[in-house]
């Protein structure tokens, strides 16, 4: 089938590669403009752009798709490219731009979206992170027929996965990316060979709607007045971005891994939130609003991720 593809990060690249390897024609790839990144803040191409260039696929990087917006010229150029490509179907995965009505209606069979949750739970920009942060037992992938709303279209396919107690956003992302690639190939194959005959669109239920708001760097600072179980989930949810931070020994430190301390002595439990309860060379425990948290993997500014033993050698701390 002749496809257009719109996506930006690695999650989308995995799907694009799978569609191409399944034999579908990629008539045009849309991805976000290059962004500054790395220590030198040099312009970095997206994962999707890198794949498209390596495969010689037609590429477009409009700053917007709104014909009447600030970047109307970009949108008009993208419109001309899409019209010339004449895709039968468009696949969208973590693209990062809102698709206006002219895009949704341009392909004869419309637009399919790969979404990293079981809709209608966690509509929006950060479904993987918010599912871990909320303590959900499972999440999954939904393939939906796009409409003008925010992740409100009819569901075509979905499959659930378990969120393990060890999952970070990085590990869960990789499992969901692979699952999304498999399901989108299945969906596109159905459109190509059966005219959507096996896929029955189902309206999303009205109950259970929640929104996965974009991750803000301001959320990174750990609030020790919160329960230990909440902080532990947030640490996993914010790995690899933006990472959770706290101040230890007067220095800002990122916390990449922690464990809830089940048994805390009466003396330790009396410590105020954020107080160091234990720092004995191999264990660093801090008091929380409820319970305590043992910090396992940390990172000082400009350094690498290290275990707590190495951190305590570099940054002496003591209980209290």
């Amino acid at each position: 089938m002749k496809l257009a593809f719109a996506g930006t990060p690695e999650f989308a690249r995995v799907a694009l590669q799978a569609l191409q390897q399944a034999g579908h024609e990629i008539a045009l790839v849309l991805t976000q403009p290059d962004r500054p990144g790395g220590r030198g803040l040099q312009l970095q191409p997206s994962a999707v752009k890198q794949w498209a260039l390596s495969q010689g696929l037609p590429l477009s990087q409009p700053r917007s798709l709104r014909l009447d917006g600030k970047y109307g010229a970009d949108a008009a150029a993208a419109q001309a490219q899409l019209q010339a490509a004449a895709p039968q179907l468009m696949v969208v995965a973590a693209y990062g731009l809102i698709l206006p009505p002219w895009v949704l209606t341009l392909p004869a069979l419309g637009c399919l979206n790969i979404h990293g949750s079981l809709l209608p739970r966690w509509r929006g920009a950060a479904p993987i992170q918010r599912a871990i942060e909320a303590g959900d037992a499972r999440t999954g992938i939904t393939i939906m027929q796009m409409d003008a709303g925010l992740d409100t279209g009819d569901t075509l396919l979905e499959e659930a996965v378990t969120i393990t107690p060890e999952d970070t956003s990085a590990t869960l992302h990789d499992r969901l990316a692979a699952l999304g690639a498999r399901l989108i190939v299945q969906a596109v194959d159905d459109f190509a060979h059966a005219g959507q005959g096996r896929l029955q669109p189902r309206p999303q239920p009205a109950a259970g709607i929640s929104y996965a708001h974009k991750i803000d760097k301001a959320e990174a600072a750990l609030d020790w007045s919160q329960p230990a179980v909440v902080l532990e989930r947030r640490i996993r949810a914010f790995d690899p971005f933006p990472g959770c931070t706290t101040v230890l020994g007067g220095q800002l430190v990122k916390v990449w891994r922690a464990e809830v301390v089940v048994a805390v002595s009466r003396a330790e439990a009396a410590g105020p939130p954020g107080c160091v309860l234990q720092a004995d060379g191999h264990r660093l425990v801090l008091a929380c609003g409820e319970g305590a948290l043992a910090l396992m993997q940390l990172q000082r500014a400009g350094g690498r991720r290290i275990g707590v033993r190495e951190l305590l050698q570099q940054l002496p701390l003591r209980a209290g």
Side-chain angles (χ1 to χ4, degrees):
M1 176 173 277
K2 193 175 187 182
L3 304 176
F5 186 92
T8 298
E10 178 66 12
F11 182 89
R13 186 208 62 79
V14 175
L16 174 59
Q17 179 178 349
L19 287 166
Q20 187 179 6
Q21 292 178 344
H24 296 288
E25 178 187 353
I26 311 299
L28 182 65
V29 173
L30 286 85
T31 192
Q32 288 269 352
D34 297 0
R35 305 290 189 202
R39 291 179 182 266
L41 292 180
Q42 306 248 338
L43 289 178
Q44 303 288 329
S46 72
V48 164
K49 178 179 179 177
Q50 292 179 58
W51 177 261
L53 291 177
S54 74
Q55 302 299 305
L57 300 175
L59 183 69
S60 179
Q61 294 181 270
R63 288 170 290 182
S64 171
L65 293 171
R66 287 184 51 190
L67 295 170
D68 60 348
K70 179 180 179 181
Y71 302 110
D74 279 30
Q79 183 182 47
Q81 288 174 293
L82 275 169
Q83 288 171 338
Q88 297 164 274
L89 182 69
M90 175 181 273
V91 172
V92 182
Y95 178 35
L97 291 181
I98 299 295
L99 300 191
W102 73 260
V103 179
L104 296 173
T105 57
L106 191 149
L109 296 173
C111 301
L112 302 187
N113 179 249
I114 311 169
H115 188 76
S117 76
L118 300 174
L119 292 170
R121 185 158 178 78
W122 302 126
R123 293 173 177 172
I128 296 174
Q129 295 94 327
R130 298 305 183 190
I132 294 175
E133 185 183 22
D136 290 1
R138 66 175 203 156
T139 186
I141 288 289
T142 301
I143 306 296
M144 71 170 185
Q145 185 87 49
M146 295 181 71
D147 61 16
L150 176 62
D151 299 327
T152 56
D154 289 350
T155 296
L156 297 172
L157 284 172
E158 66 177 7
E159 189 171 319
V161 299
T162 298
I163 300 177
T164 73
E166 292 78 33
D167 266 325
T168 65
S169 286
T171 61
L172 185 56
H173 165 279
D174 290 350
R175 296 210 309 280
L176 291 177
L179 176 58
R182 176 167 63 79
L183 291 185
I184 195 61
V185 168
Q186 180 181 338
V188 172
D189 284 349
D190 189 85
F191 272 73
H193 301 124
Q196 198 186 341
R198 293 186 299 270
L199 297 180
Q200 299 300 319
R202 301 185 308 276
Q204 294 183 33
I209 296 171
S210 61
Y211 288 91
H213 300 289
K214 185 177 180 180
I215 302 296
D216 192 314
K217 287 185 178 180
E219 298 179 75
L222 291 170
D223 177 0
W224 293 102
S225 68
Q226 293 188 333
V229 291
V230 171
L231 295 180
E232 188 274 338
R233 292 198 306 256
R234 175 166 286 198
I235 289 166
R236 290 188 290 114
F238 286 14
D239 181 357
F241 176 84
C244 285
T245 61
T246 192
V247 175
L248 294 173
Q251 296 185 23
L252 188 67
V253 175
K254 283 194 173 183
V255 182
W256 293 113
R257 182 168 168 251
E259 293 179 355
V260 175
V261 178
V262 177
V264 182
S265 72
R266 180 174 298 180
E268 289 175 337
C275 175
V276 175
L277 303 179
Q278 184 179 352
D280 59 7
H282 67 276
R283 190 166 169 84
L284 177 59
V285 180
L286 273 68
C288 304
E290 181 180 315
L293 205 60
L295 308 188
M296 312 295 291
Q297 187 183 66
L298 306 103
Q299 182 178 12
R300 298 173 67 188
R304 55 182 174 82
R305 297 190 188 198
I306 58 176
V308 65
R309 182 188 295 272
E310 187 174 349
L311 178 94
L312 289 174
Q313 291 173 348
Q314 300 175 8
L315 193 64
L317 297 168
R318 60 183 177 82

